Amino acid sequence: MNRFAPKAAKLALAALAALSFSATLTSPALADFGVTPGSFRTDVLDAAGNVVPTPQAGGHPFVYRLGFALNTKPSPFPEGGDFGLGPEPIPDGTLKDVRVELPPGVAGRPQAIPQCTTADFTPPGFGGLAHCPTASQVGIADLDLGLSAGWHSRAKIPIYNLVPPEGVVARIGFVPTVPVVVDFKVRTGDDYGVTAIVRNTSQGVNFYSSIMDLWGVPADPRHDAERYLPGAFVPGDANGSPLTAGMNPTPFMDLPTRCGVPMKTHMEVDSWEEAGNFLSYETPPLEMSGCDRLQFAPSVEIHPDSAKAGSPAGLGVGIEIPQSSSPDAVITPPLKKAEVALPEGVTVNASSAAGLASCSPEQIGLDEESVPSCPNESKLGSVEIETPLLNHTLEGSLYLATQGSNPFHSLLAFYLVVVDPDTGLVIKLPGKVEPDPRTGRLITTFDDNPQLAVESVHLQFRGGSNAPLALPSACGIHAAHAKLSDWAHPDVVVPSNPSFSVNDGCEAASRFAPALDGGTVNPSAGKSSPFVFRVTRGDGEQNLGRIDANLPEGLLAKLAGVPVCGDAESAAADCLPDSQIGKATVGVGAGPNPLFLPEAGKAPTAAYLAGPYKGAPYSLVVEVPAQAGPFDLGTVVVRSAIHIDPVTTRVSVDSDPLPQILEGIPIAYREVRVEIDRRGFMRNPTSCEPMEVSSTIVSAQGTSASPTARFQAADCARLGFKPKLSLVLGGRTHRSAHPRLKAVLKMPKGEANIDEAVVTLPRTEFLENAHIRTICTRVQYAAHNCPRGSIYGYAKAWTPLLDKRLQGPVYLRSSNHTLPDLVASLDGQIHVDLAGRIDSVNQRLRTTFWAVPDAPVSKFVLTMKGGDKGLLVNNTELCKAKPRARAQFTGQNGKSRTLSPLVKIGCRKK
């Protein structure tokens, strides 16, 4: 090593002089600090030292050169100076920091080359050189450095691959007089290219220019003549002979894989005199060629962690991209775009929204270098990335992006996030998720991925009962469709069709056995009570499609005082609170823990009384805000027609089809619960006979089921039953006259309702068969098309359940008996048909109302015409008689009452 001593002494003397001058001389005022025009450039050189105009895309350059020079100005010293160094120009300012942004795709493999430790790199004393292993050399730095007095000279020194500190991807360094390190970081939030950074260069040495030659394959024997022994000033061994790297050639640098795209290198520099005032420069464009040589043959695999049909499942999606480590081979171009359409039937599991959060734009900071602060509750899964650029696996997480406030302004999106503390590498990639609005099939797209070599990417969506994804409900082989493209051939799509099997729980997919539970909270007869109707479905069974319900006879609603929601408001989910009669709870999702809406803190559900719908006098509008976790899918409105049987007043509710998919999210109904709880709205029957709440439930596939729930009111015996009846015969009273009849029935409040009424007229009245001319047929009556001649009277009914009385004509309608039936057609807020059978018993005319609805009626008035339309004829002078009728009433609670009211006659007093 003695032959190196003279030059070492010279460099040490120069360093001492530089430090002395910097301490004693005042630098001239900054005039034009900057990079000499045209000096900043990057080139790829071949083994002969020639510039390659269009290098091979994806190749490993023989030399990747980066150089620049600083502007100079005249020396401030008189000619010769005290040291006789001469008035040579000096740099116009002292270089402090350098930042060089390499084009995307220019990448290094620092961990494939031996690394020099900090202890070996740091000189043992002032003016010493690095003692790094020869195999760690990755290039040559050609530097032009000098003293403040203007003396300067060029020197070539080795560049070593150094052990990077935590938070730095790679570090190289060289030691001209004092150590210089270049740190490499990946540009997070930008194009994910590599930036080389030099900080705080020495103020004691004037920097004139630098040419850094980095070797694409450092162990290439053609570099042997430029290798240095540890601590040496010149290349070669002790005899000056070339040195080998002592290892197999391994790539250290990769070139971009895009052809025909001009790529520039950007640089920023500042000076110690104006620290922080960075000046920007860029090189002439460089283009790659030979993309036709690059091969891209990826494969995709999908693995669920379950094979059970319709169940929540963790799902792994892996992309494999074979890479070559041969120094003579071009690299596999990086993945540019990946579009994966999961198998049809793999859908979002709604129950996963429970407790789920999302990552906001501020938390992810896509355009920033910062580490994301996404909440742990927004985590959907994990990611693992293998790359030949590093010797360890990159691990990260998948986070749900905030609805609407993501780069795609979409309902669904997620972020792939990798934070590697060792290298400081931070990756933040947005993935677009498009659910098919008809089938719910999920298509995920990652575009413009980093131009960095990747061997595999594995996404693992978490599993468990609240997994974000659910498997298809049908058994069999389910195929996905993937489209992949690379940066070298962005318009060429490589298809892949991975598949997996679902073969467990197959029998459940064909089963449909929903359960029904329904009834009033307090079944006390005649009392008001909330009513609950609940349908549940087993996990994996066919989905609920439509629900029709039939309430027990006598279970009625008090419509009086309740404003109805209009059609426009019903459709727009804008019903007024005054119309609300209850609320709903909907359980959705696959697995044992469905999500129940509404969630705590979210908008409540509501059930409203609405107007006529699909031929029914009333309807039920149920509004369910589809808000869960971080999602808001608006309000789901389901409208159901409320039919009232005109004979029994039994209520049936026929729903519209339940929405099966909402903005591409399938709705797997597990429970539908409607509670009608408006105060005083629902009223129990006054009959305590065993009854049932029945239903017809149709699955989304068309399978029908009819579950029932037992219902029985209680405490009917406590209800009183004291109906009051008065009868009046009007008109002429003589024999053969045809009187008109008026019957008035009154019921005390809070008693049992009438079940059957039998009214027998006094012996003074016969039926006038001659006046039975026109009779309404059953077909005509059903079509509301009875002839006017079939009207023989008029009826009115008052009930506390309605705002207004019911009223309408009384017809004679054909029947299966000898005589026609007497039917009152009562119209109003609802329609009721009250039919009575006419016959005679013991030569007395009798009318039996055998099917009276279990509904409270405070007053009922029946008026029958007299004269030519009178159905009655006197068989005696009425004023000479005291006719009495007979009335037998049976209550819905089984109690009975017999009355013998004196019929009032309009006789003049003498």
Side-chain angles (χ1 to χ4, degrees):
M1 296 292 180
N2 291 336
R3 68 187 182 89
F4 302 139
K7 191 167 186 178
K10 183 178 179 181
L11 286 176
L13 178 61
L16 284 172
L19 292 176
S20 175
F21 275 110
S22 67
T24 60
L25 298 178
T26 303
S27 297
L30 181 64
D32 189 18
F33 172 79
V35 174
T36 304
S39 68
F40 175 47
R41 58 182 298 114
T42 54
D43 294 301
V44 174
L45 308 182
D46 60 18
N50 300 316
V51 174
V52 181
T54 54
Q56 170 63 52
H60 310 295
F62 183 76
V63 168
Y64 187 85
R65 171 170 289 178
L66 189 153
F68 71 98
L70 292 184
N71 294 334
T72 60
K73 66 179 182 179
S75 172
F77 299 100
E79 188 163 338
D82 294 338
F83 292 89
L85 297 177
E88 296 186 26
I90 63 171
D92 198 352
T94 308
L95 182 67
K96 181 180 185 291
D97 298 324
V98 182
R99 290 202 296 256
V100 180
E101 294 184 0
L102 301 177
V106 176
R109 307 186 184 198
Q111 297 179 7
I113 305 298
Q115 294 175 324
C116 178
T117 65
T118 301
D120 288 337
F121 177 70
T122 304
F126 179 81
L129 294 181
H131 286 70
C132 293
T134 300
S136 65
Q137 185 180 347
V138 292
I140 292 290
D142 186 349
L143 304 174
D144 189 354
L145 304 176
L147 307 177
S148 300
W151 178 88
H152 64 100
S153 65
R154 300 177 67 96
K156 291 187 177 182
I157 53 179
I159 302 173
Y160 294 104
N161 184 33
L162 306 180
V163 176
E166 185 173 316
V168 175
V169 173
R171 170 174 279 186
I172 60 175
F174 47 91
V175 185
T177 56
V178 293
V180 176
V181 296
V182 183
D183 287 337
F184 291 88
K185 302 198 75 172
V186 175
R187 295 191 290 273
T188 299
D190 195 0
D191 56 12
Y192 287 91
V194 175
T195 297
I197 304 170
V198 178
R199 298 182 180 90
N200 299 325
T201 61
S202 173
Q203 300 182 62
V205 178
N206 278 337
F207 176 90
Y208 284 81
S209 67
S210 166
I211 296 175
M212 291 179 56
D213 285 350
L214 296 177
W215 301 333
V217 183
D220 189 323
R222 291 174 291 181
H223 295 301
D224 289 352
E226 297 180 285
R227 300 188 202 283
Y228 286 70
L229 287 173
F233 286 95
V234 294
D237 60 14
N239 299 317
S241 301
L243 290 169
T244 63
M247 58 178 289
N248 293 326
T250 302
F252 175 67
M253 288 193 67
D254 300 339
L255 291 178
T257 58
R258 299 183 71 187
C259 294
V261 179
M263 291 177 287
K264 297 181 179 181
T265 301
H266 299 271
M267 180 173 69
E268 292 182 333
V269 297
D270 72 340
S271 65
W272 281 102
E273 289 80 2
E274 290 191 2
N277 181 26
F278 283 90
L279 304 176
S280 299
Y281 305 90
E282 64 181 19
T283 62
L286 179 67
E287 291 188 14
M288 301 291 115
S289 64
C291 283
D292 55 323
R293 286 189 56 196
L294 304 183
Q295 301 296 316
F296 184 67
S299 61
V300 180
E301 292 185 352
I302 296 180
H303 301 286
D305 63 5
S306 170
K308 185 177 181 181
S311 67
L315 196 70
V317 180
I319 300 177
E320 301 290 333
I321 306 173
Q323 297 283 347
S324 172
S325 60
S326 170
D328 301 321
V330 293
I331 68 171
T332 300
L335 175 70
K336 180 185 184 296
K337 183 178 181 180
E339 179 185 294
V340 179
L342 294 179
E344 190 163 319
V346 176
T347 58
V348 172
N349 177 22
S351 63
S352 66
L356 189 65
S358 66
C359 188
S360 69
E362 296 76 19
Q363 291 167 329
I364 187 66
L366 279 179
D367 299 328
E368 303 170 1
E369 294 185 357
S370 60
V371 173
S373 58
C374 298
N376 191 58
E377 293 78 10
S378 65
K379 187 175 179 180
L380 298 176
S382 60
V383 59
E384 292 185 351
I385 299 175
E386 298 285 350
T387 171
L389 307 181
L390 300 174
N391 63 359
H392 62 278
T393 300
L394 295 175
E395 298 180 350
S397 301
L398 306 174
Y399 295 99
L400 177 68
T402 300
Q403 173 186 347
S405 299
N406 55 65
F408 317 106
H409 308 288
S410 59
L411 169 67
L412 296 176
F414 64 92
Y415 300 119
L416 184 157
V417 175
V418 172
V419 178
D420 186 40
D422 291 344
T423 62
L425 179 63
V426 178
I427 299 175
K428 297 181 284 189
L429 303 179
K432 183 180 183 180
V433 182
E434 298 175 276
D436 187 292
R438 184 180 59 85
T439 65
R441 185 176 195 174
L442 299 172
I443 301 175
T444 300
T445 304
F446 281 92
D447 200 359
D448 291 332
N449 294 297
Q451 296 182 53
L452 301 174
V454 169
E455 290 176 322
S456 68
V457 179
H458 183 80
L459 309 183
Q460 181 63 51
F461 293 92
R462 59 177 169 82
S465 59
N466 288 333
L469 298 175
L471 296 182
S473 58
C475 287
I477 303 297
H478 298 274
H481 301 287
K483 300 177 182 178
L484 308 176
S485 62
D486 63 81
W487 281 101
H489 318 92
D491 298 327
V492 177
V493 174
V494 178
S496 181
N497 298 297
S499 61
F500 61 84
S501 177
V502 173
N503 52 27
D504 186 17
C506 303
E507 66 284 351
S510 60
R511 185 170 61 240
F512 186 62
L516 172 65
D517 184 19
T520 53
V521 176
N522 174 18
S524 183
K527 296 291 186 179
S528 297
S529 172
F531 172 76
V532 178
F533 181 86
R534 176 173 174 262
V535 174
T536 56
R537 174 187 69 90
D539 188 25
E541 295 184 7
Q542 296 180 22
N543 200 24
L544 301 176
R546 195 183 76 243
I547 301 174
D548 297 340
N550 299 306
L551 305 189
E553 290 185 25
L555 182 59
L556 302 174
K558 185 178 181 180
L559 304 176
V562 182
V564 297
C565 184
D567 289 341
E569 291 78 10
S570 297
D574 194 26
C575 294
L576 295 176
D578 289 348
S579 300
Q580 184 174 351
I581 59 174
K583 56 182 179 286
T585 302
V586 180
V588 294
N593 302 311
L595 169 71
F596 286 91
L597 303 175
E599 274 193 316
K602 304 291 185 180
T605 61
Y608 298 94
L609 181 68
Y613 186 64
K614 293 186 175 181
Y618 287 92
S619 56
L620 179 69
V621 174
V622 177
E623 298 179 1
V624 180
Q627 300 174 358
F631 296 113
D632 185 351
L633 305 184
T635 300
V636 178
V637 179
V638 177
R639 194 169 183 180
S640 303
I642 301 177
H643 297 275
I644 300 175
D645 188 284
V647 176
T648 65
T649 67
R650 186 178 189 183
V651 175
S652 60
V653 182
D654 297 342
S655 79
D656 283 350
L658 302 179
Q660 296 298 302
I661 192 167
L662 190 62
E663 295 192 33
I665 308 299
I667 307 175
Y669 297 96
R670 301 291 300 284
E671 180 174 322
V672 175
R673 174 188 171 104
V674 178
E675 184 176 354
I676 307 300
D677 59 357
R678 184 182 180 116
R679 186 177 181 84
F681 186 75
M682 295 299 294
R683 182 170 296 192
N684 285 315
T686 60
S687 169
C688 287
E689 291 295 319
M691 291 180 277
E692 66 182 17
V693 179
S694 63
S695 66
T696 299
I697 303 176
V698 182
S699 75
Q701 289 76 23
T703 305
S704 182
S706 299
T708 61
R710 186 179 183 278
F711 178 87
Q712 187 172 17
D715 300 327
C716 289
R718 64 173 174 75
L719 297 176
F721 185 66
K722 296 180 179 179
K724 298 178 180 180
L725 177 66
S726 63
L727 298 171
V728 178
L729 291 173
R732 296 184 179 182
T733 61
H734 61 78
R735 189 175 184 275
S736 301
H738 300 90
R740 61 181 179 274
L741 173 66
K742 180 178 181 180
V744 178
L745 172 68
K746 293 183 179 181
M747 291 292 296
K749 182 179 179 181
E751 293 191 349
N753 301 320
I754 296 174
D755 180 37
E756 182 180 81
V758 180
V759 180
T760 305
L761 295 182
R763 297 182 183 276
T764 59
E765 303 305 315
F766 288 164
L767 180 66
E768 181 57 276
N769 290 304
H771 285 185
I772 302 177
R773 299 185 183 92
T774 304
I775 298 176
C776 182
T777 67
R778 294 186 177 185
V779 174
Q780 290 172 323
Y781 191 87
H784 305 287
N785 194 28
C786 289
R788 292 184 59 84
S790 62
I791 299 175
Y792 291 87
Y794 201 80
K796 301 177 184 178
W798 287 260
T799 172
L801 303 183
L802 303 175
D803 289 307
K804 298 179 180 180
R805 68 190 180 194
L806 301 177
Q807 58 188 12
V810 177
Y811 298 95
L812 285 185
R813 187 184 68 184
S814 59
S815 71
N816 296 328
H817 312 107
T818 303
L819 296 174
D821 289 337
L822 188 70
V823 183
S825 179
L826 304 173
D827 274 314
Q829 291 173 257
I830 63 173
H831 179 82
V832 175
D833 293 328
L834 184 63
R837 183 175 67 249
I838 303 174
D839 64 358
S840 63
V841 57
N842 297 327
Q843 299 183 343
R844 298 177 67 175
L845 191 61
R846 180 174 66 179
T847 303
T848 302
F849 296 92
W850 72 90
V852 180
D854 189 359
V857 175
S858 56
K859 183 179 179 181
F860 179 78
V861 177
L862 174 66
T863 303
M864 300 299 296
K865 295 180 180 181
D868 292 342
K869 292 290 292 183
L871 294 178
L872 301 179
V873 58
N874 298 332
N875 63 12
T876 186
E877 171 59 50
L878 295 183
C879 291
K880 294 182 179 180
K882 292 184 179 181
R884 284 186 178 272
R886 178 180 173 85
Q888 295 173 296
F889 296 97
T890 303
Q892 294 283 348
N893 63 349
K895 293 183 179 181
S896 61
R897 186 171 179 82
T898 301
L899 304 175
S900 298
L902 181 65
V903 180
K904 297 181 180 179
I905 308 296
C907 299
R908 293 182 180 180
K909 295 183 180 180
K910 295 183 180 179

